Amino acid sequence: MATDGDQHTGPELRGSDLARAALAAAREVAKTRNPTGRKGVAGALPSRSRRRRRWSGAGADDRDPQPLGRLASRVATARGWNERLVGGQVFGKWAELVGEEVAEHAKPVTLKEGELTVAASSTAWATQLRLLQRQLIAKIARGVGNGVVTKLKVQGPAAPSWRKGPRHVSGRGPRDTYG
């Protein structure tokens, strides 16, 4: 005898049939809550989802530990240090950029607004560097980037000073006897 609360509409299910029926009923309820069929929480309350903590998971995330080089790069970019750092690379990698032979006879002195001043060891090397100016600028651009060095100013060795000692007499000095 059935009571008002019992609604027995078919044969009694047992075991795996009961599990299949429960799964089908759960799927029907889920379809009514999430009609699009997309995965995720469709009927969740907005306040509950905001409070829910997101975990990083297996993939890379901003909250994961970052390599020191990447963090230093971000700081340099934020503070506007990139130009000076790239200029420092020209000085630090000089031998790699221009080659060992040129690096033996020429040293970078200053880099201001794209103009690199180079001191040559002799007047012959200064002349050679002036002839190789375009190739050197191209090599530097390949190594540290375009636009870092746009012009090369080559200086020869400094001339000897004829001023010797604190009590120097002004005038032509020993040069007046040369002929």
Side-chain angles (χ1 to χ4, degrees):
M1 189 168 204
T3 60
D4 291 337
D6 291 340
Q7 295 179 353
H8 190 43
T9 58
E12 197 170 312
L13 300 175
R14 294 185 180 215
S16 61
D17 294 332
L18 180 61
R20 280 190 200 100
L23 179 62
R27 285 184 178 159
E28 288 299 318
V29 170
K31 283 182 185 177
T32 59
R33 287 188 182 170
N34 186 4
T36 61
R38 292 182 187 161
K39 289 185 177 183
V41 182
L45 298 173
S47 62
R48 185 171 182 230
S49 65
R50 274 189 234 134
R51 287 184 298 170
R52 185 175 175 199
R53 182 175 175 161
R54 291 188 34 201
W55 297 98
S56 177
D61 193 351
D62 289 340
R63 296 173 289 175
D64 290 342
Q66 301 292 317
L68 185 60
R70 187 179 305 155
L71 294 174
S73 175
R74 286 181 188 167
V75 170
T77 302
R79 298 196 180 204
W81 296 343
N82 279 344
E83 185 177 324
R84 296 182 85 190
L85 289 174
V86 171
Q89 285 183 351
V90 172
F91 289 86
K93 296 180 176 180
W94 180 250
E96 294 173 34
L97 294 174
V98 297
E100 290 295 326
E101 186 178 7
V102 173
E104 278 182 45
H105 300 284
K107 303 291 181 224
V109 179
T110 60
L111 176 62
K112 290 183 182 174
E113 298 173 1
E115 182 180 64
L116 179 65
T117 305
V118 177
S121 62
S122 68
T123 54
W125 269 101
T127 304
Q128 186 67 21
L129 291 174
R130 287 184 190 106
L131 293 173
L132 294 174
Q133 184 173 3
R134 286 187 180 158
Q135 289 90 348
L136 292 175
I137 291 173
K139 283 182 178 182
I140 293 169
R142 280 193 303 269
V144 295
N146 282 334
V148 176
V149 176
T150 56
K151 186 176 177 185
L152 198 65
K153 181 179 176 183
V154 181
Q155 297 176 339
S161 172
W162 295 104
R163 289 184 67 98
K164 296 206 175 25
R167 293 181 181 85
H168 172 71
V169 177
S170 61
R172 288 188 47 88
R175 292 171 288 192
D176 64 353
T177 60
Y178 286 164

